[in-house]
Amino acid sequence: MTSVGEQLGTGSRPGRPFLTATGRILSRGRLALGVLYWLAWLSVSRRIPVRTGIQREVETLGVGALPLVVPASVLVGLIAIFQIASQLLEIGAQSMSIRAIAWFTAREFGPVGAALLVVARSASGIAGELAAMRAGGEIDALPAMGLDPVKYLVAPKLAALLIGLPALTILSVALIIFGGWVGSTLFLDYSTAFFLEEFRAAFAMRDLIVGLGKSVIFAFIIGFVAADEGLNVEGRVAAISEATTRGVVYSVLGVLAADTLVNVIFYFIPGLA
C-alpha cells in the first residue's frame, strides 16, 4: 500500500478517480443535451445538405446492415420454432410454439436481435470513425472553424439510427416469423393455414408497437454510447481500437439493460403488458 506522500511523488492524487468520473459524467451530459438539441434542429431543417448527410448515414448504418440482418433473422426464426416446439412437445402443446413465436418475436426477438446486429456492425464503425478523427486532430479543428462536431458528426448518425433501426426491426420481425413458418411447415408438418390461424390468434399490433418503441430507445443508446466513446479518446492511434471495443461492449450492455427495464415496467404495472 502506498502512502499519500508516495502518491503525490508519483503524480497521482487521492480522489482523482472520482474527479475523472465526475468529469466524464458531465461530458456525457453535455453531449446528450447537444445531441437532443441538434436532433430537434435536424427534424425541422429543410436544407438539402442536411438531408443528404442523413441519407448517406442511413445508407451506411441502416441499409448496409441488411446483409447481416436478413439471414440472421431467418435463422433465428428457425432456431426459435425448433427450440420452443421441442420443449412444448413434452406436455403435448407443440402447436403452441407458433403462438409463442408470434408474441415473443414482435416484443423481443425482433427489436433486440436487430439492435445487437446493428451494434456489431454500426456501433463499432461510429466509435472507430470518431476515434480516428479525434486521434488525427480533425475533431479538434472543427471548433476552430466555428463548426460544432456534435451537429455535423454525431447528430446525423443518431438520426440515421433512429430511422434505420425501427425499419430493420420491422423487417427482422417479418423474417423471423418467415423462418418460423418455414420450420413449422417443412419440418413440423403443420399446414400454412394452421400456422396463419395460430399466428393471428396470438399476434397483436400492440406487441409490434412495443417492439418499435424499444427499437427507438435502442437506437439512441447505440448512437450516443458509440459517439461518446469515439469522441473521448486520447490522441494516439492505439486508442482507436480501445474506443471501438468499448463502444461495442457498452452498447450491448446498454441495449440489454434498457430491454430489461422496459420488461420490468410492463411486468409490474398492470394493464401495460
Side-chain angles (χ1 to χ4, degrees):
M1 180 180 296
T2 59
S3 65
V4 174
E6 291 174 336
Q7 292 177 356
L8 293 175
T10 57
S12 59
R13 297 290 187 274
R16 188 172 182 178
F18 173 76
L19 295 177
T20 302
T22 302
R24 190 63 186 276
I25 292 174
L26 294 176
S27 174
R28 287 174 175 174
R30 289 194 300 269
L31 177 60
L33 292 176
V35 166
L36 292 174
Y37 173 81
W38 288 117
L39 279 177
W41 181 84
L42 289 175
S43 65
V44 298
S45 176
R46 298 188 177 184
R47 297 172 58 185
I48 295 179
V50 172
R51 296 181 179 179
T52 303
I54 295 177
Q55 180 180 355
R56 182 173 59 252
E57 295 294 345
V58 169
E59 293 174 355
T60 301
L61 303 177
V63 178
L66 287 177
L68 183 62
V69 172
V70 170
S73 298
V74 175
L75 292 175
V76 167
L78 288 168
I79 294 170
I81 194 71
F82 291 146
Q83 289 293 327
I84 296 174
S86 65
Q87 297 299 317
L88 294 178
L89 180 62
E90 299 178 1
I91 59 175
Q94 191 176 15
S95 61
M96 293 296 294
S97 59
I98 300 174
R99 298 197 178 196
I101 287 290
W103 182 84
F104 205 60
T105 294
R107 286 184 176 240
E108 293 297 327
F109 285 149
V112 175
L116 294 180
L117 292 172
V118 168
V119 167
R121 184 190 181 278
S122 300
S124 58
I126 293 173
E129 177 185 349
L130 295 178
M133 295 179 69
R134 171 69 76 183
E138 300 172 61
I139 292 180
D140 295 328
L142 290 178
M145 296 184 292
L147 302 177
D148 189 342
V150 176
K151 175 183 178 181
Y152 291 97
L153 298 178
V154 180
K157 298 180 187 298
L158 189 51
L161 286 174
L162 290 172
I163 296 171
L165 187 53
L168 289 173
T169 296
I170 294 175
L171 178 63
S172 179
V173 168
L175 291 174
I176 292 173
I177 293 172
F178 172 75
W181 169 77
V182 171
S184 63
T185 54
L186 294 183
F187 301 100
L188 301 181
D189 295 328
Y190 293 140
S191 66
T192 299
F194 178 77
F195 179 88
L196 293 176
E197 179 183 352
E198 292 294 312
F199 176 79
R200 284 195 297 264
F203 182 81
M205 186 58 63
R206 178 181 59 186
D207 298 329
L208 182 60
I209 294 174
V210 171
L212 290 176
K214 286 184 177 181
S215 69
V216 173
I217 298 174
F218 297 160
F220 186 86
I221 291 174
I222 294 169
F224 174 77
V225 171
D228 177 66
E229 292 301 329
L231 291 173
N232 290 279
V233 297
E234 301 175 0
R236 53 189 178 89
V237 177
I240 299 175
S241 61
E242 297 172 1
T244 302
T245 301
R246 289 196 305 269
V248 172
V249 172
Y250 294 159
S251 294
V252 170
L253 293 177
V255 166
L256 296 179
D259 184 54
T260 301
L261 178 61
V262 172
N263 287 331
V264 167
I265 292 173
F266 274 93
Y267 182 82
F268 286 102
I269 299 181
L272 289 182

